[in-house]
Amino acid sequence: MPLQPEHLDKFLEEEIDTKFKSELLELLRKRIDNLCFKECEIDRIQCTLTPLCTHRALLKLRLLNGLTIEDQPTFCYSVHKNIIFRDFRNKTVIYKPNDAYLYLVDFFDVFFHGDYRKLNKFFSKKDFKGANKIFDDRINNREEDFQYLLTDDQNFMIFKYDDKIHVCFITENYALCNANRENISDLELLYGLCKMFAQIYFPEVELKLNHSNCVEITTIIPKDALSRISKTPPTDENSKLDNYIWNVFPGELDALSQFCKEINIYLDKKGNLAIKLNIGVVPEVRMNRYSSALLRYRDLRLVFNIIFRLYNDFYILHV
């Protein structure tokens, strides 16, 4: 059997001879550079239409490791940036640029072209008041439909254009565009995402950070709505609330359990049914097994959709 990728992965994990490991990694580095700068980019038609790495993932490898734009294959990066721009403008693209990374100045150039130099200067100095004036002007006077939020410790700025989420990693000087499958690895960012969606879709749901590295989200079913829910499985298919509680809600709780460290359901002091979710960025380990996967952006959307349904169908209509 020939050498397989998993053999290399296992070897790099277990090998203690650092010199040999370094030699192997150097071979890999040379192969990557040769692929990017000599085999792929030299043929611009191929680089544009069928790049030799999936969705230009080797650009991400360099960017996330702190390399500058001068270290990137120039033409490949320009095509990558243009694909994100075309997708933003709802034009035809070769592939959807989900989970695509750009340097911060290029992110501003794509999404806020007329002001990108000013924004890059503001962010480099962490002058967010100046940046916010530009964003607010675009929202109020240019009829641009987006929302933004600066996280509490000013390490991230989150943008929501329609149903797409983009995140600026301010300290690292890059941005994640069309966040979908990437992991959410920072609690500050997770809390910021929860705050943004809560402000837009369920403003009266309670949010707070707790001491176990979690965001705590609490929504309620008011006691008036609770009293109208049948105590037995519904026979009337038109009873929307009964059908949801008896037939849909258990499945949604099961779905939530994949992404929550803890779920508590209890009657509060006012007789309302409180549903408290503890969501963290690192999975819990119970009985030597992971109880939940690393949280991704699309997983968080599922959580928000369930909270919105509870808020919209139970809380809003009965308060």
Side-chain angles (χ1 to χ4, degrees):
M1 181 178 69
L3 195 64
Q4 299 295 317
E6 56 266 26
H7 298 153
L8 295 176
D9 187 44
K10 182 180 179 182
F11 177 82
L12 288 171
E13 284 185 358
E14 298 178 355
E15 177 59 40
I16 59 174
D17 187 334
T18 55
K19 185 176 184 297
F20 187 34
K21 185 183 292 187
S22 296
E23 289 178 0
L24 182 60
L25 292 173
E26 179 62 15
L27 285 173
L28 179 60
R29 185 197 64 79
K30 288 180 179 178
R31 175 64 188 126
I32 290 173
D33 280 350
N34 190 70
L35 181 77
C36 291
F37 293 100
K38 294 183 179 179
E39 295 180 25
C40 186
E41 191 175 52
I42 198 169
D43 184 340
R44 294 197 166 192
I45 294 177
Q46 173 181 267
C47 186
T48 301
L49 300 177
T50 56
L52 295 180
C53 64
T54 303
H55 292 185
R56 308 180 195 277
L58 293 176
L59 296 176
K60 170 184 172 182
L61 173 66
R62 294 184 178 89
L63 184 149
L64 293 185
N65 280 285
L67 277 68
T68 67
I69 193 168
E70 287 75 21
D71 300 306
Q72 299 279 14
T74 305
F75 179 73
C76 183
Y77 182 79
S78 69
V79 174
H80 173 69
K81 178 180 173 181
N82 189 53
I83 288 173
I84 296 171
F85 172 77
R86 289 181 62 85
D87 181 67
F88 173 56
R89 297 297 181 184
N90 295 316
K91 296 181 179 180
T92 303
V93 290
I94 299 169
Y95 59 84
K96 285 293 182 181
N98 294 326
D99 301 314
Y101 286 87
L102 287 174
Y103 294 101
L104 207 52
V105 64
D106 295 310
F107 172 80
F108 294 137
D109 191 20
V110 168
F111 292 91
F112 306 97
H113 175 68
D115 297 302
Y116 82 95
R117 288 188 177 88
K118 290 181 182 178
L119 287 170
N120 190 52
K121 182 178 179 180
F122 287 143
F123 271 67
S124 66
K125 295 181 177 180
K126 293 202 170 184
D127 177 8
F128 299 115
K129 289 184 178 179
N132 291 349
K133 288 180 181 178
I134 292 176
F135 299 141
D136 292 340
D137 176 69
R138 284 176 171 260
I139 292 170
N140 297 327
N141 300 318
R142 305 193 196 183
E143 298 183 354
E144 293 194 24
D145 184 19
F146 72 93
Q147 290 93 17
Y148 71 96
L149 182 141
L150 179 66
T151 59
D152 291 346
D153 292 334
Q154 300 186 343
N155 290 313
F156 306 93
M157 185 169 280
I158 305 164
F159 294 89
K160 185 177 183 297
Y161 273 94
D162 298 323
D163 63 339
K164 294 180 179 178
I165 293 294
H166 316 288
V167 180
C168 292
F169 293 72
I170 297 167
T171 303
E172 291 83 358
N173 200 37
Y174 59 71
L176 169 62
C177 307
N178 307 321
N180 184 32
R181 289 177 175 267
E182 290 287 272
N183 294 328
I184 303 169
S185 57
D186 192 284
L187 190 64
E188 178 189 346
L189 174 56
L190 174 60
Y191 189 49
L193 289 162
C194 291
K195 284 176 66 175
M196 168 171 272
F197 275 80
Q199 290 171 7
I200 299 170
Y201 297 112
F202 34 87
E204 293 166 277
V205 167
E206 181 183 341
L207 291 179
K208 69 177 183 179
L209 287 170
N210 65 26
H211 298 297
S212 58
N213 266 352
C214 291
V215 177
E216 189 177 279
I217 305 176
T218 305
T219 187
I220 66 169
I221 297 177
K223 64 179 181 180
D224 288 345
L226 205 59
S227 65
R228 298 175 191 173
I229 297 172
S230 172
K231 292 180 174 56
T232 58
T235 56
D236 181 3
E237 294 182 0
N238 295 321
S239 178
K240 181 179 179 181
L241 298 186
D242 284 352
N243 182 64
Y244 176 77
I245 290 297
W246 282 95
N247 299 324
V248 179
F249 188 52
E252 293 194 336
L253 283 177
D254 185 57
L256 287 171
S257 69
Q258 299 177 58
F259 313 116
C260 296
K261 288 191 173 184
E262 190 174 329
I263 301 175
N264 293 308
I265 302 176
Y266 58 93
L267 289 176
D268 66 16
K269 294 178 180 179
K270 296 181 180 179
N272 305 312
L273 184 68
I275 303 160
K276 182 186 293 184
L277 312 176
N278 285 343
I279 304 174
V281 294
V282 180
E284 288 278 288
V285 179
R286 295 175 185 160
M287 298 180 66
N288 298 319
R289 298 185 65 182
Y290 283 112
S291 63
S292 58
L294 286 167
L295 188 69
R296 298 174 295 181
Y297 288 87
R298 71 176 190 176
D299 300 330
L300 200 56
R301 287 182 182 275
L302 171 64
V303 174
F304 291 154
N305 286 340
I306 294 172
I307 294 171
F308 177 72
R309 187 197 298 237
L310 288 166
Y311 177 80
N312 195 57
D313 289 352
F314 290 90
Y315 184 85
I316 290 294
L317 294 178
H318 297 276
V319 173

